[in-house]
Amino acid sequence: MADEQQDTRTGPVSLVIDPEGDLYMKLDFGSLKVSRKAFSLSSPVFLAMLGANSKFKEATDMTFDYDGVQIVSFEDDDFEAMTVIARIIHLQSDQVAATMTFQQLYQVAVLCDKYDLKRCLGPWTDKWAAPYLDCYTRDGYEEWLFMSIVFRYDGLFKEVTRHLVINSEISEQGTLVTTSGFDLSEGISSAILDRITKSRAETMFVVLDLYWQEFCRLRASNTARVCKIGGVNVAKCDAINLGCLYQQLPELQDPRQATGACHKPVKNMIEAPAGILELSGALIFKFGDHRGWTCMTLFASIMDGSLLLVGGSLGGLFAAIVLKRLGHVVRIFERNPTPLLHDQGAGVVAGSHTQAFFNKYDTTRRPIAVTSRLRQYLDLQGNQIHEEDTVQKMTSWDLLYYLLRANFDGVESGYCKVPEPLETDGQGAYEYGHMVKNVKDLGEQVELEYEDKRGKVDATTADLVIGADGPSSTLRRILIPDVKRDYAGYVAWRGTVPEQEASATAKGTFVEKFTFYHSRGTQILAYVIPGENGSLEPGERLINWVWYCNYPQDSTEYNELMTDSDGKTHHVTLPIGRMRQDILDEQRQYARKVLPPQFAEIVCDTKQPFIQAITDVVSPRNSFFDGKLLLIGDAVAGFRPHTAASTSQAAFDAQKLHELKNGEIGLDQWEEETMEFAKHMQERGVEMGQRSQFGNHPLAQTLHGMASS
């Protein structure tokens, strides 16, 4: 137990953290008695400083008290912050406060950065920081830029820097300061400050450009209707603001080019103490908000003219990363109302195109798949009747999704570390809760009308729009309303079982093997995929299975199957956890009757299976508006899962997009190659599905005969 006592030799207050300690740390307002070994183990910096042969000044200037305990000077360091750190290092958690003030947290961050203590303090700093994470825009919390770097809060760092792009200015001394005058340079690398300064300059240019455009529109005609609020006062509103603009731009010159009186008042308004957010006049017309600007409306204006992806699942992320790697500003509009898509626990066969994509674009460099070395077929008794030496890579939807999000917009997860952005990378934004309503060709650009998560309808423009919004693509429906998604007459029951919970027989059948069973009108297959957080360790993985069963569309059985426990009918997917218990119990009984015992085991042991209706859809084209709007992946053609090629299609299309945007191929060649892939695999999937579910699969005939004999 630590205790406190006066000690005139080492400082006004001496706190004994370790009674058996062999080191006094002399700090700014006191000293700590600690264990040298404990501190040396806590960080590589302390290890180097306190080692026997250390060349650090602190070590070479050591003195000794009368008991022979060494005294090391840390007089530049905060006593209170070091005390907290020392208690954690000495495992005195019961004496560590659960909360601290923001300034106390900042002092801890200073020492964390100085002595490389993030790994040691990580869980504690996360707990202390939680109450202040949303305060980075307020006065008094300017240190968040430094702290987000120290604590490795990549997402928060991006938000802070975006905020500072708008709410900062260049001081008379040439340094970057906040609008309240706080100097941002302390503890921040020049590269980061230069990036913020450069982004700020680019933002100012865009603001000036918008200012001039709106001025010209208002000046062009007495009947201009720029105001978007509507009502009887539109003309008066426009006239008032035109007058405001005449006052701001008296010489009627383009403020981007002028250097005289016209340019100066606009620039001064942008540079005012309140920052760019205080802009008034013409800019508000662009957004129809007479109550003032927000950070998001400014960034919406900056992002106009960027590249826009509709759909934030695997297909959209594949393409977005390609474009980001090419240096573009990329936005993703995802209709899902939450920041992350929900994992259904689905397995994915990682084909050659998928593997090639991750080898080229994934900078996390973590392995993505379990290797299957054998393809085999069973009879009803569970005996092998056919095998093929085929190596395939098996992965999971969730692992791919989180790797792609880490690469695109730095989402943190247990699947991987967020990689450092490349110097040539562009910018990316993942905007969830955005539902597309309409799309228009404006000539030079494409306008996209959408409804955001608050229910507000707005519009944005982009130089290129890419539809990656799946087999039920909204963009495709708007552009080609006659193309429909049709039910194929059967569904896929899907689920997973933890590898460690499977029997030895089941493991022997499915581990590192792609295993099938066919009988008349049914097919089931299984393989091993990564487990929790993408683990590839044996015993931590999952056995993934897919069971195709026929249900006529107009049948009572199909209607009951797709009606969930709350009475809601689903058209394509019955999600995990929504299945009626009577339906699940009936299917488990059916599995024991018609499936080999190994397959029956994993079906019955799956706690929460889900169902996907098998559908067909193919678009006659994938390029619109002279190549300014493209469809990719499932939005072009939804493959039946027998092909195991949906993810490969998305990866293939994205890599072809790289070639297109890089000038290696033209638009005609891109269309030809991507449409050929889509049509061929879609036709192949229909052929495979019809043979499996409604025809005579060669092995199903053999099995039927064996089962009858």
Side-chain angles (χ1 to χ4, degrees), residues 10-38:
T10 58
V13 177
S14 177
L15 184 62
V16 178
I17 301 295
D18 183 356
E20 304 299 324
D22 55 354
L23 186 72
Y24 270 113
M25 302 178 71
K26 190 174 182 180
L27 300 152
D28 57 353
F29 293 112
S31 62
L32 302 174
K33 188 177 184 181
V34 301
S35 164
R36 177 200 303 271
K37 182 177 181 180

Side-chain angles (χ1 to χ4, degrees), residues 416-653:
C416 64
K417 292 182 179 179
V418 176
E420 293 293 327
L422 303 178
E423 291 185 4
T424 56
D425 275 356
Q427 299 294 319
Y430 192 99
E431 301 174 50
Y432 63 93
H434 283 50
M435 188 178 302
V436 172
K437 308 293 287 185
N438 201 8
V439 62
K440 296 179 183 178
D441 184 0
L442 300 182
E444 293 295 322
Q445 292 185 311
V446 176
E447 181 183 79
L448 201 72
E449 182 181 309
Y450 64 94
E451 181 180 315
D452 67 19
K453 53 183 174 289
R454 298 166 298 176
K456 180 181 178 182
V457 176
D458 206 341
T460 189
T461 58
D463 298 324
L464 173 66
V465 171
I466 298 173
D469 48 345
S472 298
S473 170
T474 299
L475 281 177
R476 189 191 64 235
R477 176 176 52 78
I478 294 170
L479 296 165
I480 319 176
D482 292 337
V483 175
K484 307 294 184 183
R485 187 178 183 184
D486 298 321
Y487 175 58
Y490 61 105
V491 306
W493 285 72
R494 306 191 66 159
T496 59
V497 173
E499 179 184 359
Q500 62 182 358
E501 295 180 10
S503 68
T505 301
K507 291 177 185 177
T509 301
F510 303 120
V511 173
E512 296 190 358
K513 296 169 185 169
F514 197 177
T515 305
F516 294 80
Y517 169 72
H518 290 270
S519 65
R520 194 67 57 82
T522 194
Q523 177 192 165
I524 188 168
L525 57 92
Y527 51 89
V528 173
I529 63 173
E532 184 177 2
N533 289 329
S535 175
L536 302 179
E537 292 297 317
E540 297 179 3
R541 302 169 299 189
L542 299 172
I543 300 175
N544 174 78
W545 57 269
V546 184
W547 184 10
Y548 299 105
C549 298
N550 296 353
Y551 295 87
Q553 183 169 8
D554 297 328
S555 66
T556 302
E557 292 81 5
Y558 180 68
N559 183 63
E560 291 182 350
L561 179 72
M562 300 302 287
T563 301
D564 67 21
S565 54
D566 294 327
K568 178 182 178 181
T569 299
H570 298 261
H571 298 292
V572 178
T573 302
L574 184 70
I576 286 178
R578 304 293 295 276
M579 186 176 296
R580 289 164 43 190
Q581 189 62 44
D582 60 320
I583 296 291
L584 179 56
D585 290 342
E586 182 179 336
Q587 192 70 8
R588 285 171 173 167
Q589 292 178 6
Y590 184 57
R592 296 186 185 99
K593 178 180 178 182
V594 303
L595 296 180
Q598 303 97 311
F599 277 110
E601 175 190 328
I602 60 175
V603 169
C604 293
D605 288 349
T606 298
K607 295 178 175 60
Q608 292 188 335
F610 66 101
I611 294 172
Q612 291 179 319
I614 305 304
T615 60
D616 294 318
V617 64
V618 60
S619 173
R621 53 188 293 208
N622 63 354
S623 176
F624 305 83
F625 302 162
D626 298 322
K628 296 190 298 294
L629 191 153
L630 306 175
L631 299 181
I632 63 172
D634 291 342
V636 181
F639 301 160
R640 297 196 191 184
H642 310 279
T643 63
S646 290
T647 305
S648 288
Q649 179 191 24
F652 175 81
D653 288 353

Side-chain angles (χ1 to χ4, degrees), residues 646-675:
S646 290
T647 305
S648 288
Q649 179 191 24
F652 175 81
D653 288 353
Q655 290 171 91
K656 286 298 174 183
L657 186 64
H658 184 142
E659 295 178 17
L660 173 65
K661 296 299 291 182
N662 213 30
E664 300 169 35
I665 61 175
L667 179 62
D668 290 344
Q669 185 176 345
W670 182 87
E671 290 181 53
E672 180 182 350
E673 293 186 20
T674 53
M675 284 304 302

